[in-house]
Amino acid sequence: MALTQNSRVVLNDGHKMPVVGFGTYAPETYTKEQGYDSTKVAIEVGYRHIDGAFIYGNEVEVGKAIREKIADGTVKRGDIFYTGKLWGNNHTPDRVRPALENTLKDLQLDYIDLFIIHTPMDLKVECHIYLNQSKLLEFCKDNDIVLVGYSVLGSSRAEGW
C-alpha cells in the first residue's frame, strides 16, 4: 500500500485514523514553545494525526497550535485526529473522566478522537525498521486489532542495532 495524505486505518467503531501521526513528546532540552511551533509546522506540511499525552507536559501549547491552524483556515477540527493518553496514576475508573476533562481543558478542544492508556501493563509498542514486531503485528492483523507503534522511524536506542 502506498502512503498518501489520505492513508487511514479503519477502527472497530468505523472512525478512520491517519496511519502516520506527529508525536509531540520532546525531551526536557526542548522548550514548550518549540512544541507549539513544531505542531504548527506539522499541520502546515500535512500531518493530520497529532499524538500527545498529559505526561509530555505540553498539551496547552499543542492545543494552542491546533486551534490556531483551525482559526487561520489551514484545517477544520474534523481534519485533525488527536490521540491523548491516560497516565498510569489515573487508571482507576473514578480517575479516568477527570483526567480526560483535564486534557480537554489544557488543549481547549471540545473532544479528542482517541484516548488510550499510556504504557498499559508496562508495555508500549516500539515498532520501526530496527524492531519490526512482525509476530505481534501478524497477531494484531489476525485479531482485527490496530497496532499503534511509536518511534516508527527509529529511536535514540536504535543506534548500533
Side-chain angles (χ1 to χ4, degrees):
M1 170 176 116
L3 283 179
T4 69
Q5 187 173 3
N6 295 317
S7 295
R8 307 260 194 279
V9 62
V10 179
L11 302 175
N12 64 5
D13 67 355
H15 286 88
K16 296 177 182 175
M17 178 176 68
V19 296
V20 177
F22 177 74
T24 61
Y25 169 77
E28 291 179 12
T29 54
Y30 293 89
T31 67
K32 293 179 193 279
E33 187 69 20
Q34 287 172 303
Y36 159 78
D37 290 336
S38 62
T39 302
K40 283 177 55 174
V41 169
I43 293 170
E44 289 167 2
V45 300
Y47 280 92
R48 295 300 179 257
H49 183 174
I50 307 297
D51 177 87
F54 162 78
I55 198 66
Y56 299 168
N58 60 7
E59 287 182 322
V60 169
E61 292 76 17
V62 169
K64 180 180 176 188
I66 293 169
R67 292 188 321 276
E68 286 185 12
K69 297 320 292 176
I70 293 169
D72 75 8
T74 302
V75 292
K76 298 178 187 122
R77 174 60 186 95
D79 297 333
I80 298 292
F81 189 98
Y82 186 88
T83 297
K85 297 182 195 78
L86 179 68
W87 189 239
N89 64 346
N90 291 318
H91 288 185
T92 58
D94 61 315
R95 297 188 72 161
V96 174
R97 185 179 189 106
L100 173 60
E101 289 171 346
N102 188 62
T103 286
L104 291 169
K105 180 174 115 323
D106 285 349
L107 292 167
Q108 293 186 28
L109 296 175
D110 294 331
Y111 66 94
I112 61 175
D113 301 275
L114 182 63
F115 195 52
I116 61 176
I117 297 171
H118 208 150
T119 60
M121 303 184 315
D122 297 325
L123 171 69
K124 295 190 284 173
V125 175
E126 183 174 355
C127 184
H128 48 74
I129 59 173
Y130 302 108
L131 183 63
N132 68 21
Q133 302 285 9
S134 58
K135 288 182 180 179
L136 177 60
L137 181 58
E138 193 60 37
F139 172 84
C140 290
K141 284 182 180 178
D142 290 346
N143 290 280
D144 201 26
I145 298 170
V146 174
L147 175 66
V148 177
Y150 71 92
S151 295
V152 295
L153 299 178
S155 74
S156 60
R157 297 191 312 240
E159 187 174 321
W161 282 6

